[in-house]
Amino acid sequence: MNAFLKNLGIEANNPGAFNGKWFGSAEKIDVISPIDGKVIASVNQATPDEYEQTVAAAHKAFKAWRVIPAPRRGELVRQLANALREAKADLGALVTLEMGKIRAEGEGEVQEMIDICDFAVGLSRQLYGLTMHSERPGHRMYEQWHPLGVVGVISAFNFPVAVWAWNSALSAVCGNATLWKPSSKTPLTGIACTKIAAKVCERMDVDPAIFSLVVGRGSTIGEKLIGDRRIPLVSATGSCRMGYRIGEVVGKRLGRTILELGGNNAIIVTPEADLDMTLRAILFGSVGTAGQRCTSTRRIIVHESIRKDLTDRLVAAYKHIKIGDPLNENTLMGPLIDTDAVETMQAAIKTIKEAGGEILCGGEPLSGDKYAGGCYVTPCIANAKNEFQIVQDETFAPILYLIGYDKLDDAIAMHNGVPQGLSSAIFTRNLLEAERFLACTGSDCGIANVNIGTSGAEIGGAFGGEKETGGGREAGSDSWKAYMRRQTNTINWSTELPLAQGIKFGG
């Protein structure tokens, strides 16, 4: 096995559940690398009974963890950040091996984990409540925030470690335990991260079940998790279809959700744009992670006066993208996650043609010795119309749609004219155009950028979107509030008992 797997504690066969100890006796799954189609290792999933054991242990750990002062909880997260720094190269390599994103992106994802931990440490001393003036004399009012409980975290394959950290670091400083269900396509990174966190907990004499893990099928373990009343908050990243199901089940029991779902992100390119800078942003947004980011650039809405120029530049640039082994530092685009993803992309290209669109370049599966066993494709550019159903849907693959416009108002209408609302951008050197895009009548997305692409958010700002993207937010200045319960307190320090609103009751 690769040295970095050994360093991370990944064995040939791994138990898939952790609640302070490792176990797992359900069906074994082989984890296959999209790089070459070879088995990396196997994982024994959790049974329903083992899920119950894990939740019970996490809830017990929460009860002890919640009474520890928040700055002390922050110290544990600070040490977790340092442990991740030490493991950055190894964990980044595992992300690449298991998911397929290039090495720079794999290590960049681990850096996001480190950054959110550092961010959370600061927040551990800033879990502020407000004081309010009471209308009743001799009374004082204030609000405070208490730990919530066990937080369920469901992550997707495309960001197999960062999403857990976004939630677990903030949740931990707020006094909660987390129960993580990683994607069954990328469970090894979940096991590796949990082992790192457990060692930190052991050094600080903290029950490691505050970072619990369960690997299992969505139809069994996933359904139990989202229906579990012991889990007051479920934070889920994935498809819109998955979000509808989670929202329905958790909402029916009046639980909370943080949903970060699909994106159909567009860049408006005006005649005032710097096309050299625009080109670089489009390339990273559309080709990075092989188009498998929720923030990937999927649509370019370009003014007709510069459409041909930008199209020619993009087609030429796409032909020089180095595709191959993502562990090779010269590679710019690795494989799709699996053969199903390749087939989905091929079906989408067929649909584009049938709808009347035009494939300008790319879209072919790659074969030969260099790509043997892997899930490689060439990134695709297509002329399309915004109203095509295939354009309205999110295809999780490197397909970029070019759409023309004449008036900025029409461009913004097309930009907003999709069901999703995650990330957006405009490229222009015209201040009026930029401000028009950022106004309440402009982009309807949770993220709106000027002269920056749609992909590559920082943890200092709230991340998430509107409409079918789910409305949830992760990271950002007041993100901790989602992981706590709010309580309003009134203290009567007088010897009278006046009622609010001046109500007189009795004599």
Side-chain angles (χ1 to χ4, degrees):
M1 298 181 75
N2 290 306
F4 60 80
L5 294 178
K6 183 178 180 180
N7 294 341
L8 294 168
I10 302 298
E11 307 290 341
N13 187 51
N14 303 271
F18 179 79
N19 65 357
K21 63 179 185 296
W22 288 96
F23 53 94
S25 58
E27 177 187 3
K28 183 174 74 172
I29 55 173
D30 289 331
V31 183
I32 298 171
S33 174
I35 296 173
D36 54 14
K38 295 180 180 179
V39 175
I40 306 170
S42 61
V43 176
N44 283 101
Q45 301 178 98
T47 66
D49 286 344
E50 289 166 342
Y51 166 83
E52 293 294 333
Q53 296 172 33
T54 305
V55 176
H59 191 67
K60 180 182 177 182
F62 156 69
K63 288 184 175 181
W65 181 241
R66 66 182 173 179
V67 299
I68 294 175
R72 183 64 178 164
R73 299 194 296 252
E75 172 60 19
L76 183 140
V77 175
R78 187 187 70 81
Q79 292 195 27
L80 176 58
N82 288 339
L84 291 170
R85 285 183 173 91
E86 293 175 4
K88 180 177 177 179
D90 289 335
L91 190 54
L94 177 56
V95 170
T96 294
L97 182 65
E98 189 174 36
M99 186 270 151
K101 62 177 63 175
I102 63 174
R103 187 68 176 265
E105 288 188 88
E107 292 194 14
E109 184 174 344
V110 180
Q111 186 61 49
E112 280 192 51
M113 301 174 76
I114 296 166
D115 291 345
I116 196 68
C117 285
D118 289 347
F119 184 70
V121 173
L123 289 180
S124 70
R125 294 180 181 271
Q126 301 181 67
L127 306 179
Y128 300 132
L130 300 173
T131 61
M132 292 77 73
H133 289 278
S134 174
E135 67 183 61
R136 292 168 282 186
H139 286 59
R140 181 167 71 89
M141 292 180 65
Y142 67 95
E143 69 178 19
Q144 59 182 341
W145 297 80
H146 291 307
L148 187 60
V150 179
V151 175
V153 179
I154 300 174
S155 61
F157 74 85
N158 60 328
F159 277 85
V161 295
V163 169
W164 170 73
W166 293 345
N167 288 277
S168 62
L170 291 174
S171 186
V173 299
C174 291
N176 303 318
T178 52
L179 175 61
W180 182 15
K181 183 190 176 302
S183 168
S184 294
K185 296 180 180 181
T186 53
L188 298 179
T189 45
I191 292 169
C193 289
T194 302
K195 289 190 173 186
I196 291 170
K199 288 179 180 178
V200 173
C201 289
E202 289 163 7
R203 287 201 301 268
M204 289 193 63
D205 196 26
V206 170
D207 188 341
I210 63 169
F211 297 116
S212 293
L213 176 81
V214 59
V215 177
R217 292 182 179 275
S219 57
T220 54
I221 301 303
E223 286 293 315
K224 287 183 72 67
L225 189 157
I226 63 178
D228 198 329
R229 292 184 178 273
R230 294 166 295 180
I231 300 176
L233 171 64
V234 176
S235 178
T237 301
S239 67
C240 296
R241 178 180 57 82
M242 182 195 78
Y244 274 114
R245 176 60 182 169
I246 293 173
E248 176 187 9
V249 174
V250 178
K252 188 174 291 186
R253 61 178 174 86
L254 299 182
R256 300 190 204 173
T257 57
I258 299 174
L259 297 178
E260 200 283 284
L261 309 173
N264 197 343
N265 316 294
I267 296 177
I268 295 176
V269 185
T270 83
E272 299 288 337
D274 179 330
L275 288 188
D276 291 334
M277 188 164 64
T278 304
L279 180 65
R280 293 196 300 272
I282 294 172
L283 285 175
F284 177 70
S286 60
V287 174
T289 322
Q292 297 172 114
R293 290 182 175 223
C294 53
T295 56
S296 290
T297 304
R298 310 236 176 256
R299 297 176 295 144
I300 301 299
I301 303 172
V302 56
H303 194 271
E304 291 290 0
S305 66
I306 57 171
R307 181 172 183 170
K308 184 178 185 308
D309 187 6
L310 181 61
T311 300
D312 291 345
R313 291 178 183 228
L314 281 168
V315 171
Y318 265 48
K319 291 179 179 178
H320 291 92
I321 292 170
K322 294 180 179 179
I323 304 167
D325 182 354
L327 288 168
N328 186 321
E329 63 180 14
N330 294 319
T331 298
L332 289 181
M333 186 177 121
L336 296 180
I337 186 62
D338 55 25
T339 54
D340 287 346
V342 176
E343 292 173 3
T344 297
M345 180 176 177
Q346 298 311 300
I349 290 172
K350 180 181 178 182
T351 303
I352 295 167
K353 294 176 180 177
E354 291 173 348
E358 177 190 9
I359 304 301
L360 300 178
C361 71
E364 306 90 355
L366 293 171
S367 59
D369 293 343
K370 181 180 177 182
Y371 309 106
C375 303
Y376 298 92
V377 296
T378 57
C380 175
I381 301 175
N383 278 327
K385 294 182 179 180
N386 204 60
E387 60 267 25
F388 289 173
Q389 186 58 52
I390 190 64
V391 176
Q392 293 284 307
D393 298 333
E394 180 191 34
T395 302
F396 224 52
I399 301 177
L400 183 67
Y401 302 112
L402 300 184
I403 303 163
Y405 82 91
D406 290 312
K407 296 180 179 179
L408 184 58
D409 284 351
D410 294 336
I412 291 174
M414 284 189 285
H415 173 281
N416 295 344
V418 293
Q420 311 84 357
L422 179 53
S423 186
S424 61
I426 188 171
F427 274 78
T428 179
R429 289 170 291 192
N430 184 311
L431 179 62
L432 300 182
E433 290 180 333
E435 292 293 344
R436 169 73 178 87
F437 182 72
L438 299 178
C440 63
T441 54
S443 169
D444 64 358
C445 293
I447 299 169
N449 299 327
V450 176
N451 295 330
I452 300 173
T454 62
S455 195
E458 299 180 33
I459 56 92
F463 181 86
E466 302 300 324
K467 301 188 294 189
E468 286 192 357
T469 301
R473 294 295 187 277
E474 295 165 320
S477 59
D478 61 351
S479 51
W480 57 272
K481 292 182 178 179
Y483 301 91
M484 304 194 81
R485 59 183 178 89
R486 187 175 188 167
Q487 186 179 80
T488 299
N489 307 111
T490 306
I491 298 173
N492 179 1
W493 54 271
S494 75
T495 57
E496 303 296 327
L497 192 63
L499 299 177
Q501 293 82 49
I503 295 174
K504 303 295 182 182
F505 187 76

